[in-house]
Amino acid sequence: FSRRRERAARGLGAGGAMEFRLEAHRIVSISLGKIYSARGQRGGLKLHKNLLVSLVLRSARRVYLGEPGGECALPPRPGPPPPPDCERLRRGCRPLASEAAARGRPECPAESPRKRSAAERDPAAGYPGKKPRRETEQPPPQEDMETGNVASLISIFGSGFSGLLGKERGAAEATEPGQVCCEQPVLRSLNPWSTAIVAF
Amino acid sequence: MEGESIYEVDSEDGVGADIISTVEFNHTGELLATGDKGGRVVIFQREPESKNEPYNQGEYNVYSTFQSHEPEFDYLKSLEIEEKINKIKWLPQQNAAHSLLSTNDKTIKLWKVTERDKRPEGYNLKDEEGKLKDLSTVTSLQVPVLKPMDLMVEVTPRRIFANGHTYHVNSISVNSDCETYMSADDLRINLWHLAITDRSFNIVDIKPANMEDLTEVITASEFHPHHCNLFVYSSSKGSLRLCDMRASALCDKHSKLFEEPEDPSNRSFFSEIISSVSDVKFSHSGRYMLTRDYLTVKVWDLNMETKPIETYQVHDYLRSKLCSLYENDCIFDKFECAWNGSDSVIMTGAYNNFFRMFDRNTKRDVTLEASRESSKPRAILKPRRVCVGGKRRKDDISVDSLDFTKKILHTAWHPTENIIAIAATNNLYIFQDKVNSEMH
């Protein structure tokens, strides 16, 4: 086990921010490899495992690209106070111990409509976008597992990868996401998605 | 604990077909069923204790073996369906026969296990081999007589509950009413009647309208041991939902939600994965629930939803290794947990063929190993220790030398006695505590 890598995953050590992003990049690559290799698995796609992998992928990607919400994946650092709980919940983070008392409030101002609609409808259920289901016989046998949505997840991240090539300059520089400013001619010629495929 | 019996299930074909995938005692503890990756079920029976052979008292021997599930291919979706037995549950015994449910990813089957130890002899129209007699040789009539024969155990499939699940079945649970049972997959839970195979009722459905909104799946479920209207299901987010079937036909609204807020100092990229509950078990009393996530086992009181009443660290030294365990897929391992008969001790498996027991009263815990070297018959199991730096004692194992391919995912505890069954890859270990056989 690489100690340095493990500490980076926890956000400790010198040059913590840079190690974070390197670690995040590595986790993104590993996760994509898992999703890709899961397609050929015997027994069909394992929904539970692939969901967990996609959640890790999302967190790591947020940290790597420096997007808001990326901090949810990391332990708290001293600095500005944590955002109000509505903000955290909007980012999809789990409520913290300090916010547990505030949990259960059905309404939050200025929320994105898609994620909040189900909670407003039925605070107890908490599952977005679910259609009501009457007592019925077994679901029609032709129902698809909809694993095709995993493929769309991959292509979404694939297009977002074009920005990753330009991040080698370091966290100090603020670069526009999506801007390709790679300095190594070899990498410039490779599609970022095929790089991930070749690695696995 | 004494080492008692070790069974190795031999595989004739394919590597890994004999990896044990589930272990379950029946309600009296007389029978122990195991399922494996190759779709086979092996049932062990405990020998009755007798004064004549005191050393063979209470040993488990193979009672019956049968092929429960075969690999299938769904041509419509181009999917292979694994024959691996995910769960076995015994029905309470209602007559001379025993019944059990076994399930793979898609299909649940009800099996009836019967004994035959007599056979009729002296037919009038057939001879000993069963060939028809020449009628001219029959001059008198005789009544066929039942004569004893060598014990034969017959297992027959009585019901096949198919086409109920689109996603992979992870658990089944027989209701205390002994008439119904439920089966849970990643997104739905169905209620079946044991006698009816062509329909089931969907009682939980957490599938979102748009699968890209999916954030949570069902990981395990169980009926309450006494209240036939209550059941619990666990989620990949670490929460438990207790549902009351009297409240409505569709139990999407939980009666109680058990969830512990996250500890911010432990947050990492893998917090979500390690909080996913891999197993949930009601206590025998019905008052508590036991859950297992990647690093801990927790005891929950049904009367308190805000946090567990007890948390036990199974292998906290792995917390700093999560990235590597993610890489080698070990972080996705699903460990089970078990109560002893009096709900005073809980047990769960770990890596390196270690398993752990926690005494809820004394707060003492022990790590034991299931291995051939330490498990000769009537050998005493020696407690093991994993050292995490600091002083290292003799026989300690360092974290870095743990064998992560040797994992104990499936364990079972006899319903009343101190007998445990431990599945270590393709070996089954049965340990008995002869000194403290009775529950305290």
Side-chain angles (χ1 to χ4, degrees), chain B residues 389-408:
Chain B
K391 267 202 304 198
R392 191 185 156 162
R393 289 188 227 154
K394 175 179 176 269
D395 289 344
D396 276 8
I397 300 224
S398 75
V399 182
D400 294 319
S401 7
L402 290 174
D403 188 344
F404 287 87
T405 63
K406 293 191 185 158
K407 47 194 94 174
I408 293 183

Side-chain angles (χ1 to χ4, degrees), chain A residues 37-83:
Chain A
S37 63
R39 295 163 121 190
Q41 237 172 29
R42 189 169 178 252
L45 199 81
K46 303 224 181 317
L47 187 64
H48 182 196
K49 180 178 173 186
N50 280 273
L51 173 68
L52 294 175
V53 170
S54 67
L55 292 173
V56 169
L57 179 56
R58 186 174 62 182
S59 300
R61 180 173 175 267
R62 275 183 182 151
V63 167
Y64 192 83
L65 298 177
E67 283 177 4
E71 312 86 73
C72 288
L74 311 168
R77 290 183 255 182

Side-chain angles (χ1 to χ4, degrees), chain B residues 5-212:
Chain B
S5 333
I6 301 170
Y7 300 97
E8 185 158 18
V9 186
D10 286 327
S11 69
E12 292 130 20
D13 53 336
V15 178
D18 54 350
I19 293 177
I20 299 172
S21 50
T22 187
V23 186
E24 187 84 4
F25 281 99
N26 77 336
H27 295 270
T28 60
E30 184 210 348
L31 299 176
L32 174 67
T34 62
D36 70 20
K37 216 165 159 212
R40 260 180 325 229
V41 172
V42 180
I43 303 176
F44 299 86
Q45 184 189 43
R46 193 175 184 200
E47 295 302 319
E49 308 198 356
S50 74
K51 294 198 176 72
N52 298 336
E53 292 176 43
Y55 287 121
N56 280 341
Q57 270 181 54
E59 266 194 15
Y60 283 84
N61 294 317
V62 177
Y63 180 63
S64 176
T65 302
F66 63 96
Q67 188 74 30
S68 169
H69 287 71
E70 298 273 6
E72 286 173 49
F73 196 80
D74 183 337
Y75 292 97
L76 203 62
K77 296 176 215 167
S78 257
L79 275 182
E80 192 176 2
I81 299 168
E82 277 190 282
E83 67 277 29
K84 173 167 75 88
I85 308 296
N86 292 336
K87 281 285 172 344
I88 290 174
K89 284 281 146 73
W90 290 93
L91 268 56
Q93 192 177 8
Q94 291 175 325
N95 50 41
H98 292 97
S99 298
L100 62 83
L101 289 168
S102 64
T103 186
N104 68 348
D105 282 339
K106 296 286 183 187
T107 304
I108 306 119
K109 296 186 183 180
L110 176 66
W111 298 88
K112 194 159 156 188
V113 185
T114 49
E115 285 186 3
R116 192 196 289 266
D117 62 354
K118 297 182 189 51
R119 69 154 178 249
E121 278 180 20
Y123 282 104
N124 289 293
L125 299 177
K126 295 189 289 188
D127 66 15
E128 290 301 310
E129 282 119 46
K131 286 199 306 214
L132 286 175
K133 282 185 193 171
D134 182 355
L135 285 180
S136 60
T137 64
V138 178
T139 52
S140 62
L141 286 178
Q142 57 183 348
V143 178
V145 176
L146 288 174
K147 293 256 174 77
M149 60 179 263
D150 287 340
L151 178 68
M152 201 164 76
V153 180
E154 296 176 332
V155 183
T156 47
R158 297 306 298 237
R159 306 265 189 274
I160 296 183
F161 304 91
N163 299 319
H165 290 279
T166 304
Y167 300 93
H168 293 143
V169 175
N170 53 55
S171 45
I172 49 175
S173 178
V174 183
N175 200 336
S176 52
D177 67 8
C178 301
E179 285 187 1
T180 57
Y181 75 95
M182 69 171 167
S183 55
D185 65 33
D186 294 312
L187 299 179
R188 299 191 177 104
I189 302 183
N190 292 337
L191 182 71
W192 304 81
H193 192 284
L194 284 163
I196 299 171
T197 58
D198 63 355
R199 78 189 69 173
S200 67
F201 289 110
N202 175 244
I203 53 177
V204 174
D205 186 342
I206 64 167
K207 185 182 174 192
N210 186 352
M211 278 295 271
E212 287 184 11

Side-chain angles (χ1 to χ4, degrees), chain A residues 101-175:
Chain A
R103 188 178 12 123
R105 270 191 236 136
E107 306 276 348
C108 267
E111 294 305 324
S112 74
R114 189 174 71 121
K115 282 219 158 33
R116 273 284 142 188
S117 56
E120 283 159 2
R121 248 190 281 132
D122 187 353
Y127 297 109
K130 192 170 51 58
K131 53 181 187 286
R133 190 100 172 203
R134 285 184 303 282
E135 180 183 290
T136 179
E137 297 177 19
Q138 71 260 25
Q142 281 77 24
E143 184 181 13
D144 193 18
M145 278 173 76
E146 296 187 54
T147 54
N149 284 311
V150 177
S152 56
L153 194 71
I154 294 173
S155 60
I156 289 168
F157 282 119
S159 61
F161 262 57
S162 54
L164 286 178
L165 289 176
K167 300 297 181 181
E168 273 105 343
R169 298 245 199 94
E173 294 187 8
T175 41

